């Protein structure tokens, strides 16, 4: 079955989908994106992603190309046309096409691209059962990490460097030696005292929609939660660690910079929260 993409108002074969060479996303990374998890054919945490999308667009003064309801319809159509049951849908909106000039061009129309793909949930579950290794990297990003911008160069460099060290995620460290977040996920620990800890929201991190969901699930379990920054050494001494994102959901971390966390295997809280997450996505 051939894949279908949505590009500026048309559903087109994925391998023929294209945008103009003077699209500002291509030339300046002048755009934003969103990734929704698709579970059982449905977009999970849909409203949260729409809320963040509209905020990202607003912060960059990019016009909203269509109403949420119409956009939601197109997202679901792309999922349906690609017969994705479990996977993701990716949306990218850039400022649009114009002769190259740094300042915003007048009368520009935003470009919009949507793709969807299936994910191997069995492999993801297997990875979560084993847990992943993470490596720390210097956080070299800009000062507005709360905007879900397509400008991801420091993130991809950190992720690649982590891969080269045999780790599946990079945890980025700020100038104070505190972890901000993962290259494409939020970072969590369960402290020695059993407190679920993740950095508080600010322009230092992306406000993860999965993070928000996991905080709600933690409240349901009446877990102790502290939204504050932690260091790599605190993480190494923690009982557990994990990451969250629409793609990884809740994935346990068992090693940080080659040092085992807790007992060096997925912890009970991370595993329970992953189960809760999957359950809430299924209903
Ligand atoms: N990444 N932090 C960063 C830097 C991210 O890129 C992401 C998501 C998250 C988690 O956000 P959410 O829970 O809303 O997915 C945190 C997406 C999945 C990506 O770039 O593919």
């Amino acid at each position: 079955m051939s894949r279908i993409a949505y590009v500026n108002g048309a559903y087109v074969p994925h391998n023929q989908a294209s945008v103009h060479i003077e699209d500002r996303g291509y030339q300046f990374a002048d755009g934003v994106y969103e990734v929704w998890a698709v579970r059982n054919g449905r977009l999970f945490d849909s409203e949260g992603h729409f809320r963040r999308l509209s905020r990202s667009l607003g912060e960059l003064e990019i016009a909203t190309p269509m109403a949420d309801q119409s956009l939601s319809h197109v997202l679901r159509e792309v999922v349906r046309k690609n017969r994705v049951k479990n996977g993701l849908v990716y949306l990218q909106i850039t400022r649009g096409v114009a002769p190259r000039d740094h300042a915003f061009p007048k009368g520009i129309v935003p470009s919009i691209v949507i793709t969807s793909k299936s994910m191997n949930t069995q492999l993801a579950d297997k990875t979560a059962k084993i847990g992943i290794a993470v490596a720390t990297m210097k956080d070299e990003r800009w000062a507005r990490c709360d905007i879900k911008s397509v400008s991801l160069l420091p993130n991809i460099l950190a992720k690649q460097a982590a891969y080269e060290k045999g780790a599946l995620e990079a945890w980025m460290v700020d100038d104070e030696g505190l972890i901000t977040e993962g290259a494409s996920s939020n970072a969590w620990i369960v402290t020695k005292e059993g407190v679920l800890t993740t950095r508080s929201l600010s322009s230092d991190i992306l406000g993860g929609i999965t993070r928000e969901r996991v905080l709600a699930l933690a409240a349901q379990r009446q877990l102790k939660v502290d939204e504050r920054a932690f260091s790599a050494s605190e993480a190494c001494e923690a009982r557990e660690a994990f990451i969250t994102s629409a793609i990884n959901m809740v994935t346990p971390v068992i090693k940080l910079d080659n040092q085992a966390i807790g007992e060096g295997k997925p912890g009970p809280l991370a595993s329970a929260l992953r189960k809760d997450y999957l359950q809430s996505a299924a209903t």
Side-chain angles (χ1 to χ4, degrees), residues 65-84:
M66 57 172 103
D68 282 2
Q69 228 181 347
S70 315
L71 187 55
S72 174
H73 172 75
V74 179
L75 288 166
R76 282 163 225 272
E77 269 303 285
V78 175
V79 170
R80 194 186 62 78
K81 284 179 189 291
N82 288 282
R83 296 185 198 159
V84 174

Side-chain angles (χ1 to χ4, degrees), residues 33 35 49 52 141 148 152 155 181-186 206-211 244-247:
Y33 76 106
V35 179
H49 288 278
R52 187 173 62 192
R141 298 174 302 160
K148 202 159 172 60
L152 290 172
N155 306 56
E181 60 180 331
S184 61
S185 60
N186 288 113
L206 182 74
I209 305 305
T210 319
R211 176 188 179 282
T244 58
S245 77
I247 293 176

Side-chain angles (χ1 to χ4, degrees), residues 95-112:
R95 196 175 306 277
V97 176
R100 189 175 183 279
D101 182 8
H102 287 65
F104 303 167
K106 288 212 167 55
I108 191 166
V109 179
S111 302
I112 171 162

Side-chain angles (χ1 to χ4, degrees), residues 24-25 28-33 60 62 92-95 147-151:
R24 288 177 63 96
F28 296 117
D30 184 6
V32 302
Y33 76 106
L60 299 183
I62 295 176
Q92 178 171 317
I93 298 173
T94 67
R95 196 175 306 277
I147 299 171
K148 202 159 172 60
S149 151
V150 293
S151 172

Side-chain angles (χ1 to χ4, degrees), residues 36-48:
W36 285 257
V38 177
R39 304 290 306 176
N40 300 310
R42 297 206 324 253
L43 269 60
F44 189 52
D45 278 334
S46 184
E47 304 75 35

